[in-house]
Each structure stands twice: as structure tokens, then as C-alpha cells.
Amino acid sequence: MTTRPTIVGLWLDGATCAVDVREAWALGAPDAERLYAAARSAGLGAVLVSTCFRVELLVSGPRPATELLAWGRAQLAHARPEASLASF
């Protein structure tokens, strides 16, 4: 583990994917609440932006970027197990 804070981002938007992909990844308040609770319990910070044009997940904490990205992908997969992470 590193003691320096790291921040990573996972996102998709209208410039990188089709509407049907963005619709599959539309995340609402219950998704955000679960994600924030998971981040708190893991000692991480998280920001979720989900609009009709984009979905962004920013994760920060004292861990290497690869671990934070893996954590973020796992949280997105938990939120939408039927959707593909290939766009992120």
C-alpha cells in the first residue's frame, strides 16, 4: 500500500460509446449510495456522475492506481452484472 493519495477515473460518454451502452450503465441514487458505502468501508473516496451523456466514477485513496481501478471496475460490475465493462 502507498501512503500517497492516488486518484483514478473510469468513464464512458457520448463521444466513446452508443446511447444503448450509456443507457445500460445509467446509475441512480441507490447505486450511488451502495457505492459510497462500499468506498467508506474500504477507506476510499468516490465520486459518481451519471447523466444521459456520461457515466464517470472517480476513486481516490492511499493505494496504487491499479488497485483503485480494479476496485472501481468491481463496483461497477456489482451495480450492473449484466452489462459489459469493455466500454470503461
Side-chain angles (χ1 to χ4, degrees):
M1 205 180 301
T2 180
T3 57
R4 294 176 38 207
T6 305
I7 187 167
V8 298
L10 298 157
W11 65 89
L12 54 84
D13 62 30
T16 60
C17 65
V19 172
D20 60 326
V21 173
R22 293 193 317 269
E23 286 176 349
W25 282 104
L27 300 171
D31 299 306
E33 290 172 17
R34 189 204 56 77
L35 190 134
Y36 296 147
R40 279 191 303 275
S41 70
L44 301 174
V47 174
L48 176 66
V49 177
S50 183
T51 71
C52 61
F53 186 75
R54 72 184 198 268
V55 175
E56 298 175 16
L57 174 59
L58 303 174
V59 182
S60 65
R63 298 185 188 174
T66 54
E67 286 184 27
L68 294 177
L69 286 169
W71 185 90
R73 287 181 182 277
Q75 296 307 310
L76 290 170
H78 179 73
R80 294 292 181 274
E82 70 285 354
S84 169
L85 285 169
S87 298
F88 283 95

